[in-house]
Structure formats: structure tokens, C-alpha cells
Amino acid sequence: MIYDMISIGDNMKALFQKMDKPLLFFMVLYTILGLVMILSASSVSAVLRYGVSPSYFFIRQLIFVSAAFLVGFIIVLRIPTKKYRFLAPLYLLIVFSLLFLVFGYGIVGGGAQSWLDLGFFNLQPTEFAKTALILYMAVFYEKSIKKKKPFVYNFIPIIFALIIFFLVAMQPDFGGAVIIAGIVFFIFLVIPFEKDSKVQIIKYLGFAAIIGGIVLLYSGSDLFNSTQLARLKFQEPCQRYMEDTGYQVCNGFIAFHNGGLFGVGLGNSSQKYLYLPEAHTDFIYPILVEELGLIVGILVLLGYGYMLYRILKIAKSADCIRNAIICYGAFMLILLHLLVNFLGTLALIPLTGVPLPFLSYGGSFNMNVILILFVVERIAIENKQNQEKRELALLK
């Protein structure tokens, strides 16, 4: 027993030494920053709006992220990515089942029926569907390219992606559906297909998107109900202050203005006093700028950019198509969340309720982000292991 524990400890130490330390550092740093901001941003609404302790959302977020880091270190880092050939299809099947369950047993939040009540935790399958698609496409196209499968064979993942897209869109979760579509499209761009094949695939994807839009339009889906259509009015929010979309975004602008260069001080935001109903989720960044200032806000953006750079660097060092696709998928997942959230809060695109990685409150979302980044860390480990093997081979 003691020997086994020592062996596990030595193995974890060896894995830790090969991890991408800058990426891990920023994961931990942003997780801590997120916890601090969630405690500050949610303290008022927790008491006045939800009737719970001021630290309620902070404690729950702490549990979620702690569990994700434990699973990441103890399980994800120790699973070689070659085993995803079996695990990825199984994971996709589980996600499919959960998405179908949402329609029969899901609970409504934010106008969408997107969560499953597990008693101790509300699970949002949409978040895990993003990673499931990334992993499945990675193992599928690695096999397809190696064995030079027929052209039509490459459309199998698209069928699964379209089904997931429609399941998410009909909840309705337009933001989640758009991000899923963006991830799948970007992965296609980075897969080393022959040029003619890639052009054909993109054409078919465009055709499928048009057909899908028509089907949704005439299906009676709640995606196009009055609430969702109202979100398409996103410009000049302060002139539409009495409307929901105008009210939230305009108060976000006020938070930015209040913060100035150096902020009003941690915990001193005025906009979190129910002016921003979702201050600890979608609008966490305006609260951060209001309390810590524009300079810190810019540093946060630069930090996100550096994390994305580290992911791309690991992708370019990958020794197989599978691992490269996983990294590119993780890159796009985080980038799209950043773009949709920031552009929405700045009234440059419609507001779709997309959270910020690490900073926004959300159990399913942050657990999924942390775990896929641990997968990226596992790939970084395998890159260094393979490099060491090549160096040893040269010495022999």
C-alpha cells in the first residue's frame, strides 16, 4: 500500500515536471481571480435576490473548480490521449443521452431549458458537448486521414455536430449553439485535408447551415420567440434602457465608466446592487473593471491572450493529428467564449448569455474549461516525452 502511494506520487511528480508551467500558472491565477470577483459581484444579489448567504455562489464555485482541478491532476493527466480512441465515442454517446434528457426533465434558467437537476448540482450538458465533439472529431479524423477513407466518410462527425447544434438551439441556447458551430467549422479549417476536399466540405457545411436555419424557422422552435428576437436589437443600449437587453448592457457601460483607470476598489461596485442582474455570470467583466480599473481589465485581456498563445504552441508541437486537433479545439472554445462575451457586453453583437472562462460563475462551464485544458496539458506532457525519446534515439 505504502509502495503504491509512493509510486503514484513519483509518477505525478514526473508528469508535473513536463506540464506547460505558464499555462498552468495562468489557469490557477485566473481561477483565484474568478473566485474573488464572484464573491464580490454576487454578495449583494445572493442576499437580496436569492435569499442565501453572501458567500453562497463563492463556496459553490470553489467546490466546482476544486473538483475539476483534482480530477485534472489525478485522472486526466494520467490518461494517454491514444486511449481517447475508445473514450471519445463513449463520451459523445453520454452527452447525446444527457441532451435528450434535457427536453424531458430539464429545468429552466435564463429563459432556456438547459439544465438537469442532480440534487446537489445543476448539470448543463451543452458545455460538455463542446469538448465531446472536439475529442470525437480528433480521433475520427486521425483515423480517416491515416487510412485514406472515402470522401463521404468525413461527414459522419458533421451529422453528430448538426444534431447537437439543433438540440442546443431548441433549448433555446443560441450562444451555445453558435459556439458549437464555430468550433466544428474551425476544426475543419485546421484538418490537413486535400484542398479540393476541404472546399467541398465547406460548401456542404454552408448548405447544411442554410437548410438547418430554414428547419428551425418553421419548426416552431422557441429559438425565434419574442424574447430571443429582442436580443437582436443590441445597438445604442442606453437609449433602450427600459428594455432588458438595453438595461443590462447600459449598466455594464456605467460600470466601465465608474471604474476609470484604477477602479473604485474591490467590493465597492455600485452596479452589483441589482443594476446588473447577472453581475457574477455574464457581466463579471464590467464589475471587474469597475472595482479594479481599466488597467487591470486590460491586463486580464492580455493574460487570456497569453493562455491562447500557449495552447497554440502546444498544438504546433503535437506529434499527431489527434492531439493537434484537440488543442486547436480547446483554443477555439476559449476564444469564442471570450469574443461572444466581450462583444456582447460592448453592444457590438447581440447579447447571448455566454460566460467568461474562469471568471464567470458556472459549475458545468468552468469544470469543462478546466478539464479540457488539463487534456491540453496531457498533450504537452506527451510532446516532451516524445522529444526525450527522440533525443535518446539520437544518442544511441
Side-chain angles (χ1 to χ4, degrees):
M1 175 74 74
I2 295 175
Y3 176 79
D4 290 340
M5 291 178 65
I6 293 173
S7 177
I8 292 172
D10 290 341
N11 185 37
M12 288 304 302
K13 183 179 179 180
L15 292 175
F16 179 77
Q17 290 174 345
K18 291 181 173 63
M19 292 178 70
D20 186 281
K21 301 300 193 306
L23 179 59
L24 178 62
F25 171 78
F26 274 87
M27 286 171 61
V28 174
L29 177 65
Y30 273 57
T31 298
I32 294 171
L33 177 62
L35 288 169
V36 171
M37 290 312 305
I38 287 167
L39 177 60
S40 176
S42 68
S43 57
V44 174
S45 61
V47 175
L48 299 181
R49 187 178 181 189
Y50 298 99
V52 294
S53 164
S55 59
Y56 174 82
F57 293 103
F58 165 79
I59 293 172
R60 288 179 65 83
Q61 185 80 345
L62 178 61
I63 294 171
F64 296 145
V65 298
S66 298
F69 271 95
L70 281 173
V71 172
F73 274 113
I74 296 173
I75 299 176
V76 177
L77 285 185
R78 301 179 66 186
I79 300 177
T81 58
K82 64 182 181 182
K83 292 190 177 181
Y84 291 173
R85 295 167 188 166
F86 166 74
L87 294 175
L90 178 62
Y91 187 27
L92 187 67
L93 179 62
I94 293 171
V95 167
F96 259 118
S97 303
L98 293 174
L99 284 172
F100 279 109
L101 280 174
V102 163
F103 284 97
Y105 303 97
I107 59 176
V108 177
Q113 187 173 330
S114 303
W115 287 265
L116 290 172
D117 186 358
L118 303 183
F120 62 95
F121 173 51
N122 289 338
L123 179 72
Q124 189 176 11
T126 298
E127 299 302 337
F128 298 98
K130 299 166 187 174
T131 296
L133 275 173
I134 291 169
L135 299 182
Y136 178 73
M137 292 179 75
V139 299
F140 182 93
Y141 288 114
E142 179 190 41
K143 180 180 178 181
S144 173
I145 291 171
K146 279 184 177 179
K147 297 189 175 182
K148 297 181 179 180
K149 294 286 186 177
F151 173 72
V152 292
Y153 182 79
N154 294 313
F155 285 94
I156 293 176
I158 300 304
I159 296 172
F160 295 133
L162 284 173
I163 295 172
I164 289 176
F165 174 86
F166 287 125
L167 290 174
V168 173
M170 289 188 295
Q171 292 176 2
D173 179 0
F174 184 68
V178 166
I179 288 175
I180 287 170
I183 290 170
V184 172
F185 183 74
F186 181 77
I187 287 176
F188 262 101
L189 294 181
V190 300
I191 294 174
F193 291 124
E194 293 180 3
K195 186 177 180 180
D196 291 341
S197 297
K198 184 172 289 188
V199 170
Q200 284 184 281
I201 290 174
I202 292 173
K203 286 180 180 178
Y204 283 119
L205 284 175
F207 179 74
I210 293 171
I211 296 299
I214 294 172
V215 170
L216 279 176
L217 188 62
Y218 290 99
S219 66
S221 167
D222 287 339
L223 176 65
F224 298 102
N225 62 23
S226 59
T227 301
Q228 303 301 323
L229 288 173
R231 292 183 177 181
L232 297 178
K233 295 170 62 179
F234 60 90
Q235 296 178 329
E236 300 179 342
C238 293
Q239 294 184 16
R240 298 181 293 101
Y241 193 77
M242 299 307 294
E243 301 175 17
D244 287 342
T245 55
Y247 174 82
Q248 293 189 68
V249 178
C250 186
N251 280 310
F253 285 178
I254 295 171
F256 286 131
H257 180 267
N258 290 346
L261 286 177
F262 304 104
V264 297
L266 185 63
N268 294 328
S269 165
S270 61
Q271 295 307 107
K272 69 183 181 184
Y273 282 83
L274 304 186
Y275 291 104
L276 283 171
E278 303 299 333
H280 59 296
T281 56
D282 308 341
F283 281 85
I284 193 77
Y285 187 70
I287 299 297
L288 183 148
V289 173
E290 183 182 16
E291 295 192 347
L292 303 181
L294 181 62
I295 293 175
V296 172
I298 292 173
L299 291 175
V300 167
L301 296 181
L302 293 174
Y304 274 128
Y306 186 68
M307 276 195 280
L308 292 172
Y309 162 74
R310 299 304 305 183
I311 296 171
L312 284 180
K313 187 174 181 180
I314 295 168
K316 291 178 180 178
S317 301
D319 292 308
C320 63
I321 295 171
R322 176 190 65 245
N323 287 356
I325 290 174
I326 292 172
C327 291
Y328 285 125
F331 168 87
M332 202 60 188
L333 186 154
I334 294 174
L335 178 61
L336 284 173
H337 272 274
L338 294 175
L339 289 175
V340 174
N341 181 280
F342 288 137
L343 295 177
T345 56
L346 293 173
L348 296 175
I349 63 171
L351 194 64
T352 56
V354 170
L356 276 180
F358 300 106
L359 300 186
S360 296
Y361 174 80
S364 298
F365 170 66
N366 282 293
M367 289 178 72
N368 182 63
V369 169
I370 291 170
L371 291 177
I372 195 170
L373 287 180
F374 268 101
V375 174
V376 173
E377 288 284 9
R378 173 65 205 187
I379 293 169
I381 291 169
E382 293 182 5
N383 290 347
K384 291 181 180 178
Q385 288 174 339
N386 292 332
Q387 183 181 354
E388 290 175 357
K389 289 177 182 178
R390 288 192 294 268
E391 290 173 353
L392 286 173
L394 291 173
L395 293 173
K396 291 181 180 179

